[in-house]
Amino acid sequence: MQKLSEASIEIRGLYPDIDARLQAGVIGTDVVGLVVNRMVKRALEQPADEMPAGLTQFQTTVGPFAQSMSFSGRDGAVYLTRADKNLLAPKKVERKAWTIEVV
């Protein structure tokens, strides 16, 4: 339950108009729900037998034994990916330039 609350706070902090857009029907509850579920899933994922989830860099050396790994979001924190942000971002109205010909 804590992670759901954290995800909600994170989204509302980055998108203060999200509730208004939900009420106006501009964005669907299913879209916001999907993003929240993804955020919580990432925060709760445990490394698998193969490469751990969130691994962004891995280095290894054999003699004299060195190993290094870098993770993104592996501290249990909820975060938004670029794909999540694209789903939540207000849609921009496409504007086209035009000219008026004067005769």
Side-chain angles (χ1 to χ4, degrees):
M1 193 76 153
Q2 176 67 28
K3 295 296 178 193
L4 290 171
S5 178
E6 289 177 24
S8 180
I9 290 167
E10 185 80 24
I11 289 172
R12 284 189 173 101
L14 290 171
Y15 302 96
D17 65 334
I18 195 76
D19 289 313
R21 289 192 290 135
L22 278 164
Q23 288 178 352
V26 176
I27 189 169
T29 56
D30 55 338
V31 174
V32 178
L34 172 67
V35 172
V36 168
N37 287 330
R38 287 179 178 176
M39 293 171 72
V40 172
K41 180 182 177 212
R42 280 191 296 268
L44 298 177
E45 276 183 338
Q46 296 298 316
D49 290 344
E50 64 253 5
M51 290 299 217
L55 183 66
T56 58
Q57 180 181 340
F58 178 79
Q59 295 176 328
T60 186
T61 318
V62 176
F65 311 105
Q67 186 176 10
S68 171
M69 290 189 209
S70 297
F71 295 91
S72 66
R74 295 302 302 158
D75 60 354
V78 295
Y79 63 94
L80 291 162
T81 63
R82 181 175 292 147
D84 296 334
K85 291 176 182 177
N86 287 340
L87 284 171
L88 295 176
K91 303 301 176 226
K92 295 182 180 178
V93 177
E94 185 178 326
R95 298 176 188 218
K96 296 183 180 183
W98 50 276
T99 59
I100 298 175
E101 187 175 325
V102 180
V103 207

